[in-house]
Short mmCIF file of all heavy atoms in Angstrom, two decimals:
data_model
loop_
_atom_site.label_atom_id
_atom_site.label_comp_id
_atom_site.label_asym_id
_atom_site.label_seq_id
_atom_site.Cartn_x
_atom_site.Cartn_y
_atom_site.Cartn_z
N MET A 28 -5.92 -12.24 10.37
CA MET A 28 -5.27 -11.26 9.55
C MET A 28 -6.24 -10.25 8.91
O MET A 28 -7.33 -10.66 8.56
CB MET A 28 -4.48 -12.08 8.45
CG MET A 28 -3.49 -11.29 7.63
SD MET A 28 -4.18 -10.14 6.43
CE MET A 28 -4.63 -11.30 5.08
N LYS A 29 -5.93 -9.07 8.89
CA LYS A 29 -6.75 -8.08 8.33
C LYS A 29 -5.88 -6.95 7.62
O LYS A 29 -4.94 -6.57 8.19
CB LYS A 29 -7.51 -7.45 9.50
CG LYS A 29 -8.78 -6.60 9.08
CD LYS A 29 -9.50 -6.12 10.23
CE LYS A 29 -9.93 -4.62 10.07
NZ LYS A 29 -10.39 -3.96 11.32
N VAL A 30 -6.34 -6.56 6.44
CA VAL A 30 -5.85 -5.41 5.80
C VAL A 30 -6.79 -4.25 5.75
O VAL A 30 -8.02 -4.48 5.45
CB VAL A 30 -5.34 -5.81 4.33
CG1 VAL A 30 -4.84 -4.61 3.63
CG2 VAL A 30 -4.34 -6.88 4.40
N ARG A 31 -6.42 -3.13 6.26
CA ARG A 31 -7.20 -1.95 6.25
C ARG A 31 -6.54 -0.70 5.79
O ARG A 31 -5.32 -0.68 5.66
CB ARG A 31 -7.80 -1.75 7.70
CG ARG A 31 -6.59 -1.50 8.74
CD ARG A 31 -7.16 -0.90 10.06
NE ARG A 31 -6.14 -0.80 11.05
CZ ARG A 31 -5.25 0.15 11.14
NH1 ARG A 31 -5.10 1.13 10.21
NH2 ARG A 31 -4.36 0.28 12.06
N TYR A 32 -7.30 0.29 5.49
CA TYR A 32 -6.63 1.64 5.19
C TYR A 32 -6.07 2.22 6.44
O TYR A 32 -6.41 1.93 7.53
CB TYR A 32 -7.68 2.56 4.68
CG TYR A 32 -8.17 2.29 3.18
CD1 TYR A 32 -9.53 2.02 2.94
CD2 TYR A 32 -7.28 2.41 2.15
CE1 TYR A 32 -9.86 1.79 1.60
CE2 TYR A 32 -7.72 2.25 0.86
CZ TYR A 32 -8.98 1.91 0.66
OH TYR A 32 -9.35 1.58 -0.71
N ASN A 33 -5.07 3.08 6.18
CA ASN A 33 -4.46 3.97 7.19
C ASN A 33 -5.52 4.64 8.03
O ASN A 33 -6.49 5.15 7.30
CB ASN A 33 -3.43 4.85 6.52
CG ASN A 33 -2.51 5.64 7.51
OD1 ASN A 33 -2.93 5.96 8.65
ND2 ASN A 33 -1.23 5.89 7.14
N GLU A 34 -5.35 4.79 9.22
CA GLU A 34 -6.44 5.49 10.05
C GLU A 34 -6.38 6.89 9.70
O GLU A 34 -7.29 7.74 10.15
CB GLU A 34 -6.29 5.18 11.48
CG GLU A 34 -4.98 5.55 12.15
CD GLU A 34 -3.80 4.77 11.79
OE1 GLU A 34 -3.93 3.69 11.32
OE2 GLU A 34 -2.65 5.19 12.07
N ASN A 35 -5.28 7.44 9.13
CA ASN A 35 -5.10 8.93 8.88
C ASN A 35 -5.79 9.16 7.50
O ASN A 35 -5.15 8.74 6.44
CB ASN A 35 -3.71 9.26 8.85
CG ASN A 35 -3.54 10.64 8.56
OD1 ASN A 35 -4.10 11.37 7.93
ND2 ASN A 35 -2.50 11.24 9.30
N ALA A 36 -7.02 9.76 7.46
CA ALA A 36 -7.82 9.96 6.21
C ALA A 36 -7.00 10.99 5.30
O ALA A 36 -7.21 10.74 4.09
CB ALA A 36 -9.10 10.65 6.57
N GLU A 37 -6.16 11.80 5.78
CA GLU A 37 -5.42 12.71 4.90
C GLU A 37 -4.40 11.98 4.07
O GLU A 37 -4.26 12.28 2.92
CB GLU A 37 -4.71 13.75 5.82
CG GLU A 37 -4.74 15.19 5.61
CD GLU A 37 -5.69 15.63 4.55
OE1 GLU A 37 -6.87 15.74 4.75
OE2 GLU A 37 -5.26 16.06 3.42
N ILE A 38 -3.74 11.05 4.72
CA ILE A 38 -2.73 10.10 3.96
C ILE A 38 -3.46 9.28 2.97
O ILE A 38 -2.93 9.19 1.88
CB ILE A 38 -1.91 9.34 4.98
CG1 ILE A 38 -1.02 10.28 5.86
CG2 ILE A 38 -1.10 8.19 4.32
CD1 ILE A 38 -0.24 9.35 7.08
N VAL A 39 -4.51 8.67 3.29
CA VAL A 39 -5.29 7.81 2.33
C VAL A 39 -5.70 8.67 1.20
O VAL A 39 -5.49 8.29 -0.05
CB VAL A 39 -6.54 7.29 3.08
CG1 VAL A 39 -7.48 6.56 2.07
CG2 VAL A 39 -6.07 6.27 4.18
N LYS A 40 -6.11 9.92 1.34
CA LYS A 40 -6.67 10.81 0.23
C LYS A 40 -5.44 11.15 -0.62
O LYS A 40 -5.52 10.97 -1.86
CB LYS A 40 -7.10 12.15 0.87
CG LYS A 40 -7.85 13.00 -0.11
CD LYS A 40 -8.62 14.11 0.52
CE LYS A 40 -9.03 15.21 -0.38
NZ LYS A 40 -8.04 16.33 -0.30
N THR A 41 -4.25 11.50 -0.08
CA THR A 41 -3.12 11.80 -0.76
C THR A 41 -2.57 10.70 -1.54
O THR A 41 -2.21 10.93 -2.92
CB THR A 41 -1.93 12.40 0.19
OG1 THR A 41 -2.50 13.50 0.91
CG2 THR A 41 -0.80 12.84 -0.66
N VAL A 42 -2.49 9.55 -1.04
CA VAL A 42 -1.93 8.39 -1.72
C VAL A 42 -2.90 7.97 -2.89
O VAL A 42 -2.51 7.68 -3.99
CB VAL A 42 -1.60 7.21 -0.83
CG1 VAL A 42 -1.11 5.95 -1.63
CG2 VAL A 42 -0.62 7.56 0.19
N LYS A 43 -4.25 7.97 -2.54
CA LYS A 43 -5.21 7.64 -3.67
C LYS A 43 -5.16 8.68 -4.75
O LYS A 43 -5.33 8.30 -5.91
CB LYS A 43 -6.68 7.66 -3.03
CG LYS A 43 -6.89 6.37 -2.26
CD LYS A 43 -8.37 6.37 -1.91
CE LYS A 43 -8.86 5.04 -1.33
NZ LYS A 43 -10.22 4.95 -0.95
N GLU A 44 -4.87 9.90 -4.43
CA GLU A 44 -4.72 10.88 -5.66
C GLU A 44 -3.56 10.60 -6.46
O GLU A 44 -3.52 10.64 -7.70
CB GLU A 44 -4.67 12.38 -4.98
CG GLU A 44 -5.95 12.99 -4.58
CD GLU A 44 -5.90 14.18 -3.78
OE1 GLU A 44 -4.73 14.59 -3.50
OE2 GLU A 44 -6.92 14.67 -3.37
N GLY A 45 -2.39 10.18 -5.72
CA GLY A 45 -1.23 9.78 -6.36
C GLY A 45 -1.38 8.48 -7.26
O GLY A 45 -0.88 8.54 -8.43
N LEU A 46 -2.14 7.62 -6.81
CA LEU A 46 -2.46 6.30 -7.57
C LEU A 46 -3.22 6.64 -8.77
O LEU A 46 -2.97 6.14 -9.95
CB LEU A 46 -3.20 5.39 -6.76
CG LEU A 46 -2.37 4.46 -5.79
CD1 LEU A 46 -3.31 3.86 -4.77
CD2 LEU A 46 -1.58 3.47 -6.52
N LYS A 47 -4.20 7.59 -8.66
CA LYS A 47 -4.92 8.06 -9.86
C LYS A 47 -4.03 8.78 -10.89
O LYS A 47 -4.15 8.44 -12.03
CB LYS A 47 -6.12 8.97 -9.36
CG LYS A 47 -7.35 8.93 -10.13
CD LYS A 47 -8.37 9.84 -9.43
CE LYS A 47 -9.67 9.91 -10.23
NZ LYS A 47 -10.66 10.72 -9.55
N ARG A 48 -3.22 9.56 -10.42
CA ARG A 48 -2.24 10.24 -11.27
C ARG A 48 -1.35 9.24 -11.98
O ARG A 48 -1.01 9.61 -13.18
CB ARG A 48 -1.51 11.29 -10.43
CG ARG A 48 -0.99 12.58 -11.09
CD ARG A 48 -0.23 13.54 -10.24
NE ARG A 48 0.61 12.95 -9.35
CZ ARG A 48 0.54 13.01 -7.98
NH1 ARG A 48 -0.49 13.63 -7.41
NH2 ARG A 48 1.45 12.28 -7.25
N ARG A 49 -0.96 8.32 -11.36
CA ARG A 49 0.00 7.38 -11.89
C ARG A 49 -0.63 6.07 -12.57
O ARG A 49 -0.08 5.06 -12.90
CB ARG A 49 0.81 6.83 -10.71
CG ARG A 49 1.73 7.83 -10.10
CD ARG A 49 3.20 7.63 -10.55
NE ARG A 49 3.84 6.44 -10.11
CZ ARG A 49 4.61 5.78 -10.93
NH1 ARG A 49 4.77 6.18 -12.16
NH2 ARG A 49 5.09 4.57 -10.58
N GLY A 50 -1.98 6.19 -12.73
CA GLY A 50 -2.63 5.12 -13.49
C GLY A 50 -2.70 3.82 -12.78
O GLY A 50 -2.68 2.62 -13.35
N GLY A 51 -2.65 3.89 -11.36
CA GLY A 51 -2.60 2.63 -10.61
C GLY A 51 -1.28 2.12 -10.14
O GLY A 51 -1.12 1.17 -9.41
N TYR A 52 -0.20 2.84 -10.69
CA TYR A 52 1.24 2.40 -10.23
C TYR A 52 1.48 3.16 -8.89
O TYR A 52 1.02 4.27 -8.72
CB TYR A 52 2.18 2.70 -11.29
CG TYR A 52 1.98 1.79 -12.56
CD1 TYR A 52 1.38 2.28 -13.70
CD2 TYR A 52 2.51 0.56 -12.55
CE1 TYR A 52 1.13 1.39 -14.81
CE2 TYR A 52 2.31 -0.30 -13.68
CZ TYR A 52 1.72 0.10 -14.80
OH TYR A 52 1.46 -0.77 -15.80
N CYS A 53 2.32 2.48 -8.16
CA CYS A 53 2.60 3.01 -6.85
C CYS A 53 3.16 4.55 -6.94
O CYS A 53 4.10 4.79 -7.68
CB CYS A 53 3.69 2.13 -6.17
SG CYS A 53 3.90 2.61 -4.49
N PRO A 54 2.53 5.41 -6.22
CA PRO A 54 2.94 6.77 -6.34
C PRO A 54 4.23 7.13 -5.54
O PRO A 54 4.86 8.16 -5.67
CB PRO A 54 1.83 7.54 -5.64
CG PRO A 54 1.09 6.57 -4.81
CD PRO A 54 1.35 5.24 -5.45
N CYS A 55 4.64 6.21 -4.79
CA CYS A 55 5.96 6.41 -3.95
C CYS A 55 7.22 5.84 -4.76
O CYS A 55 8.24 5.81 -4.21
CB CYS A 55 5.79 5.67 -2.52
SG CYS A 55 4.28 6.09 -1.77
N ARG A 56 6.97 5.35 -5.95
CA ARG A 56 8.06 4.74 -6.60
C ARG A 56 8.06 5.31 -8.05
O ARG A 56 7.02 5.88 -8.47
CB ARG A 56 7.92 3.25 -6.74
CG ARG A 56 7.89 2.53 -5.42
CD ARG A 56 7.79 1.04 -5.67
NE ARG A 56 7.95 0.19 -4.51
CZ ARG A 56 7.02 -0.30 -3.69
NH1 ARG A 56 5.78 0.04 -3.95
NH2 ARG A 56 7.25 -1.04 -2.74
N THR A 57 9.12 4.96 -8.73
CA THR A 57 9.20 5.43 -10.20
C THR A 57 9.05 4.23 -11.05
O THR A 57 9.30 3.08 -10.69
CB THR A 57 10.43 6.20 -10.57
OG1 THR A 57 11.47 5.40 -10.22
CG2 THR A 57 10.48 7.57 -9.83
N GLY A 58 8.57 4.38 -12.27
CA GLY A 58 8.60 3.39 -13.39
C GLY A 58 7.13 2.87 -13.36
O GLY A 58 6.21 3.22 -12.60
N THR A 59 6.99 1.91 -14.19
CA THR A 59 5.72 1.25 -14.55
C THR A 59 5.78 -0.29 -14.61
O THR A 59 5.12 -0.93 -15.32
CB THR A 59 5.02 1.71 -15.81
OG1 THR A 59 5.96 1.56 -16.84
CG2 THR A 59 4.62 3.21 -15.64
N SER A 60 6.48 -0.86 -13.64
CA SER A 60 6.72 -2.32 -13.65
C SER A 60 5.42 -2.90 -13.05
O SER A 60 4.75 -2.34 -12.12
CB SER A 60 7.91 -2.73 -12.78
OG SER A 60 7.69 -3.86 -12.02
N GLU A 61 5.00 -4.23 -13.50
CA GLU A 61 3.76 -4.82 -12.95
C GLU A 61 4.00 -4.98 -11.40
O GLU A 61 2.92 -4.94 -10.70
CB GLU A 61 3.67 -6.10 -13.63
CG GLU A 61 2.90 -5.99 -14.96
CD GLU A 61 1.63 -5.34 -14.97
OE1 GLU A 61 0.77 -5.75 -14.26
OE2 GLU A 61 1.56 -4.31 -15.62
N ASP A 62 5.17 -5.16 -10.94
CA ASP A 62 5.34 -5.32 -9.57
C ASP A 62 4.98 -4.18 -8.76
O ASP A 62 4.71 -4.39 -7.57
CB ASP A 62 6.91 -5.75 -9.27
CG ASP A 62 7.26 -7.09 -9.62
OD1 ASP A 62 6.27 -7.88 -10.15
OD2 ASP A 62 8.46 -7.53 -9.62
N ILE A 63 4.90 -3.02 -9.31
CA ILE A 63 4.65 -1.85 -8.37
C ILE A 63 3.14 -1.32 -8.87
O ILE A 63 2.77 -0.20 -8.46
CB ILE A 63 5.50 -0.73 -8.67
CG1 ILE A 63 5.68 -0.18 -9.98
CG2 ILE A 63 7.01 -1.19 -8.05
CD1 ILE A 63 6.28 1.18 -10.10
N LYS A 64 2.33 -2.22 -9.44
CA LYS A 64 0.96 -1.79 -9.62
C LYS A 64 0.09 -2.13 -8.30
O LYS A 64 0.31 -3.32 -7.71
CB LYS A 64 0.26 -2.73 -10.70
CG LYS A 64 -0.78 -1.87 -11.40
CD LYS A 64 -0.97 -2.44 -12.82
CE LYS A 64 -1.87 -1.40 -13.55
NZ LYS A 64 -2.24 -1.78 -14.89
N CYS A 65 -0.64 -1.25 -7.70
CA CYS A 65 -1.21 -1.41 -6.46
C CYS A 65 -2.16 -2.63 -6.38
O CYS A 65 -3.12 -2.54 -7.33
CB CYS A 65 -1.77 -0.16 -6.04
SG CYS A 65 -2.28 0.00 -4.30
N MET A 66 -2.29 -3.49 -5.47
CA MET A 66 -1.43 -3.59 -4.49
C MET A 66 -0.03 -4.30 -5.01
O MET A 66 -0.10 -5.33 -5.65
CB MET A 66 -1.88 -4.69 -3.46
CG MET A 66 -2.99 -4.09 -2.58
SD MET A 66 -3.53 -5.40 -1.43
CE MET A 66 -4.71 -4.43 -0.43
N CYS A 67 1.02 -3.55 -4.68
CA CYS A 67 2.34 -3.95 -5.29
C CYS A 67 2.83 -5.33 -4.75
O CYS A 67 2.28 -5.89 -3.65
CB CYS A 67 3.37 -2.93 -4.93
SG CYS A 67 3.50 -2.75 -3.07
N LYS A 68 3.75 -5.86 -5.41
CA LYS A 68 4.33 -7.23 -4.94
C LYS A 68 4.78 -7.05 -3.54
O LYS A 68 4.63 -8.11 -2.81
CB LYS A 68 5.31 -7.67 -5.95
CG LYS A 68 5.86 -9.09 -5.65
CD LYS A 68 6.87 -9.56 -6.73
CE LYS A 68 7.21 -11.03 -6.32
NZ LYS A 68 7.64 -11.36 -4.99
N GLU A 69 5.62 -6.06 -3.19
CA GLU A 69 6.14 -6.00 -1.86
C GLU A 69 4.99 -6.09 -0.80
O GLU A 69 5.25 -6.91 0.08
CB GLU A 69 6.84 -4.66 -1.73
CG GLU A 69 7.53 -4.51 -0.33
CD GLU A 69 8.02 -3.03 -0.10
OE1 GLU A 69 7.25 -2.13 -0.03
OE2 GLU A 69 9.20 -3.02 0.03
N PHE A 70 3.88 -5.46 -0.90
CA PHE A 70 2.88 -5.51 0.07
C PHE A 70 2.16 -6.90 -0.06
O PHE A 70 1.82 -7.42 1.06
CB PHE A 70 1.95 -4.38 -0.13
CG PHE A 70 1.03 -4.29 1.08
CD1 PHE A 70 1.57 -4.21 2.31
CD2 PHE A 70 -0.37 -4.15 0.87
CE1 PHE A 70 0.67 -4.01 3.46
CE2 PHE A 70 -1.14 -3.97 2.02
CZ PHE A 70 -0.68 -3.86 3.34
N ARG A 71 2.02 -7.38 -1.38
CA ARG A 71 1.29 -8.62 -1.27
C ARG A 71 2.24 -9.71 -0.52
O ARG A 71 1.71 -10.68 0.03
CB ARG A 71 1.23 -9.08 -2.75
CG ARG A 71 -0.09 -8.44 -3.35
CD ARG A 71 -0.41 -8.94 -4.80
NE ARG A 71 0.31 -8.29 -5.82
CZ ARG A 71 1.26 -8.75 -6.62
NH1 ARG A 71 1.48 -10.07 -6.67
NH2 ARG A 71 1.85 -7.99 -7.54
N ASP A 72 3.56 -9.71 -0.72
CA ASP A 72 4.34 -10.61 0.01
C ASP A 72 4.32 -10.28 1.45
O ASP A 72 4.44 -11.24 2.29
CB ASP A 72 5.86 -10.24 -0.44
CG ASP A 72 6.09 -10.90 -1.95
OD1 ASP A 72 5.30 -11.64 -2.43
OD2 ASP A 72 7.17 -10.61 -2.39
N GLN A 73 4.20 -9.10 1.94
CA GLN A 73 4.11 -8.83 3.29
C GLN A 73 2.79 -9.28 3.89
O GLN A 73 2.70 -9.75 5.02
CB GLN A 73 4.17 -7.27 3.59
CG GLN A 73 5.59 -6.72 3.28
CD GLN A 73 5.68 -5.24 3.40
OE1 GLN A 73 4.73 -4.41 2.87
NE2 GLN A 73 6.80 -4.65 3.85
N ILE A 74 1.68 -9.26 3.04
CA ILE A 74 0.42 -9.87 3.59
C ILE A 74 0.63 -11.34 3.74
O ILE A 74 0.04 -11.90 4.63
CB ILE A 74 -0.68 -9.54 2.43
CG1 ILE A 74 -1.06 -8.07 2.47
CG2 ILE A 74 -1.92 -10.36 2.75
CD1 ILE A 74 -1.96 -7.62 1.36
N ALA A 75 1.34 -11.96 2.79
CA ALA A 75 1.49 -13.41 2.89
C ALA A 75 2.42 -13.83 3.98
O ALA A 75 2.43 -15.06 4.44
CB ALA A 75 2.08 -13.90 1.47
N ASP A 76 3.13 -12.88 4.52
CA ASP A 76 4.13 -13.16 5.61
C ASP A 76 3.33 -13.07 6.97
O ASP A 76 2.97 -12.10 7.42
CB ASP A 76 5.30 -12.21 5.58
CG ASP A 76 6.29 -12.43 6.66
OD1 ASP A 76 5.99 -13.18 7.56
OD2 ASP A 76 7.19 -11.63 6.81
N PRO A 77 3.21 -14.28 7.72
CA PRO A 77 2.51 -14.28 8.83
C PRO A 77 3.08 -13.44 10.07
O PRO A 77 2.52 -13.12 11.01
CB PRO A 77 2.39 -15.85 9.29
CG PRO A 77 3.61 -16.47 8.48
CD PRO A 77 3.66 -15.63 7.25
N ASN A 78 4.34 -13.11 9.85
CA ASN A 78 5.08 -12.50 10.89
C ASN A 78 5.12 -10.88 10.73
O ASN A 78 5.49 -10.13 11.55
CB ASN A 78 6.64 -12.82 11.01
CG ASN A 78 6.74 -14.26 11.56
OD1 ASN A 78 5.94 -14.59 12.47
ND2 ASN A 78 7.51 -15.04 10.91
N PHE A 79 4.60 -10.51 9.50
CA PHE A 79 4.50 -9.09 9.24
C PHE A 79 3.38 -8.41 9.78
O PHE A 79 2.28 -8.88 9.66
CB PHE A 79 4.71 -8.77 7.70
CG PHE A 79 4.62 -7.28 7.39
CD1 PHE A 79 5.72 -6.46 7.44
CD2 PHE A 79 3.37 -6.77 6.98
CE1 PHE A 79 5.56 -5.20 7.10
CE2 PHE A 79 3.28 -5.40 6.67
CZ PHE A 79 4.41 -4.67 6.71
N GLU A 80 3.52 -7.20 10.43
CA GLU A 80 2.48 -6.35 10.85
C GLU A 80 3.01 -4.96 10.41
O GLU A 80 4.11 -4.55 10.78
CB GLU A 80 2.13 -6.49 12.28
CG GLU A 80 1.26 -5.37 12.78
CD GLU A 80 0.10 -5.74 13.73
OE1 GLU A 80 0.01 -6.87 14.08
OE2 GLU A 80 -0.79 -4.96 13.87
N GLY A 81 2.12 -4.12 9.79
CA GLY A 81 2.58 -2.66 9.60
C GLY A 81 2.01 -2.09 8.32
O GLY A 81 1.03 -2.71 7.66
N TYR A 82 2.53 -0.97 7.88
CA TYR A 82 1.98 -0.27 6.68
C TYR A 82 2.66 -0.65 5.50
O TYR A 82 3.75 -1.18 5.51
CB TYR A 82 2.27 1.23 6.94
CG TYR A 82 1.47 1.88 7.98
CD1 TYR A 82 2.10 2.13 9.24
CD2 TYR A 82 0.18 2.25 7.80
CE1 TYR A 82 1.42 2.72 10.34
CE2 TYR A 82 -0.48 2.84 8.89
CZ TYR A 82 0.12 3.06 10.08
OH TYR A 82 -0.62 3.58 11.05
N CYS A 83 2.01 -0.60 4.41
CA CYS A 83 2.73 -0.73 3.09
C CYS A 83 3.62 0.42 2.87
O CYS A 83 3.73 1.41 3.68
CB CYS A 83 1.62 -0.75 1.88
SG CYS A 83 0.82 0.72 1.46
N HIS A 84 4.49 0.32 1.88
CA HIS A 84 5.47 1.35 1.55
C HIS A 84 4.91 2.83 1.55
O HIS A 84 5.50 3.69 2.13
CB HIS A 84 6.18 1.04 0.26
CG HIS A 84 7.32 1.74 -0.06
ND1 HIS A 84 8.62 1.56 0.41
CD2 HIS A 84 7.49 2.89 -0.89
CE1 HIS A 84 9.42 2.39 -0.17
NE2 HIS A 84 8.78 3.28 -0.93
N CYS A 85 3.76 3.02 0.87
CA CYS A 85 3.27 4.38 0.88
C CYS A 85 2.37 4.66 2.02
O CYS A 85 1.80 5.78 2.14
CB CYS A 85 2.25 4.38 -0.33
SG CYS A 85 3.15 4.16 -1.93
N MET A 86 2.10 3.68 2.99
CA MET A 86 1.36 3.97 4.19
C MET A 86 -0.23 4.04 3.76
O MET A 86 -0.96 4.61 4.62
CB MET A 86 1.78 5.09 4.94
CG MET A 86 3.14 4.75 5.57
SD MET A 86 3.73 6.11 6.65
CE MET A 86 2.84 5.79 8.12
N LEU A 87 -0.61 3.60 2.62
CA LEU A 87 -2.01 3.52 2.24
C LEU A 87 -2.73 2.41 3.10
O LEU A 87 -3.72 2.71 3.56
CB LEU A 87 -2.27 3.32 0.80
CG LEU A 87 -3.61 3.23 0.27
CD1 LEU A 87 -4.45 4.48 0.57
CD2 LEU A 87 -3.75 2.88 -1.18
N TYR A 88 -2.03 1.28 3.17
CA TYR A 88 -2.78 0.26 3.88
C TYR A 88 -1.99 -0.14 5.12
O TYR A 88 -0.76 0.17 5.23
CB TYR A 88 -2.74 -1.08 2.98
CG TYR A 88 -3.47 -0.92 1.66
CD1 TYR A 88 -2.90 -0.85 0.48
CD2 TYR A 88 -4.94 -0.91 1.82
CE1 TYR A 88 -3.74 -0.68 -0.63
CE2 TYR A 88 -5.70 -0.84 0.61
CZ TYR A 88 -5.11 -0.71 -0.61
OH TYR A 88 -5.84 -0.55 -1.76
N TYR A 89 -2.65 -0.75 6.01
CA TYR A 89 -2.07 -1.37 7.23
C TYR A 89 -2.48 -2.83 7.35
O TYR A 89 -3.71 -3.12 7.24
CB TYR A 89 -2.44 -0.60 8.43
CG TYR A 89 -1.81 -1.05 9.68
CD1 TYR A 89 -0.55 -0.47 10.10
CD2 TYR A 89 -2.22 -2.20 10.52
CE1 TYR A 89 0.11 -0.79 11.13
CE2 TYR A 89 -1.56 -2.50 11.61
CZ TYR A 89 -0.49 -1.90 11.97
OH TYR A 89 0.38 -2.26 13.17
N LYS A 90 -1.57 -3.67 7.46
CA LYS A 90 -1.85 -5.17 7.70
C LYS A 90 -1.65 -5.44 9.18
O LYS A 90 -0.63 -5.22 9.79
CB LYS A 90 -0.77 -6.05 6.97
CG LYS A 90 -1.27 -7.51 7.11
CD LYS A 90 -0.06 -8.41 6.97
CE LYS A 90 -0.39 -9.79 7.47
NZ LYS A 90 0.81 -10.55 7.68
N GLU A 91 -2.90 -6.02 9.77
CA GLU A 91 -2.80 -6.52 11.19
C GLU A 91 -2.57 -7.95 11.10
O GLU A 91 -3.09 -8.55 10.17
CB GLU A 91 -4.21 -6.12 11.79
CG GLU A 91 -4.34 -4.68 11.93
CD GLU A 91 -5.81 -4.35 12.39
OE1 GLU A 91 -6.56 -5.29 12.81
OE2 GLU A 91 -6.11 -3.19 12.54
N LYS A 92 -1.84 -8.52 12.06
CA LYS A 92 -1.60 -9.91 12.08
C LYS A 92 -2.82 -10.81 12.26
O LYS A 92 -3.82 -10.37 12.97
CB LYS A 92 -0.67 -10.30 13.12
CG LYS A 92 0.82 -10.14 12.86
CD LYS A 92 1.68 -10.77 13.86
CE LYS A 92 3.17 -10.26 13.67
NZ LYS A 92 3.98 -10.57 14.78
S1 SF4 B 102 0.24 -1.31 -1.66
FE1 SF4 B 102 0.97 0.54 -0.88
S2 SF4 B 102 3.13 0.62 -1.41
FE2 SF4 B 102 2.15 -0.83 -2.69
S3 SF4 B 102 1.52 0.18 -4.54
FE3 SF4 B 102 -0.26 0.18 -3.11
S4 SF4 B 102 0.09 2.23 -2.18
FE4 SF4 B 102 1.99 1.73 -3.06
#
């Protein structure tokens, strides 16, 4: 299992800027729940799922099996 950044540097840059603007909360969502603080609960659950492979919701990270 490995978690890495998206191979597209442009996407990484845009999402990181969004995270900065949102004070660490997911830029692809609204609100300020603890569950959407990066890394959000959804992606942490996906990391914990041995069958999941793919990008996080914002496509900042990619989880390899
Ligand atoms: S892990 Fe991805 S989807 Fe989750 S908050 Fe961070 S950038 Fe958004």
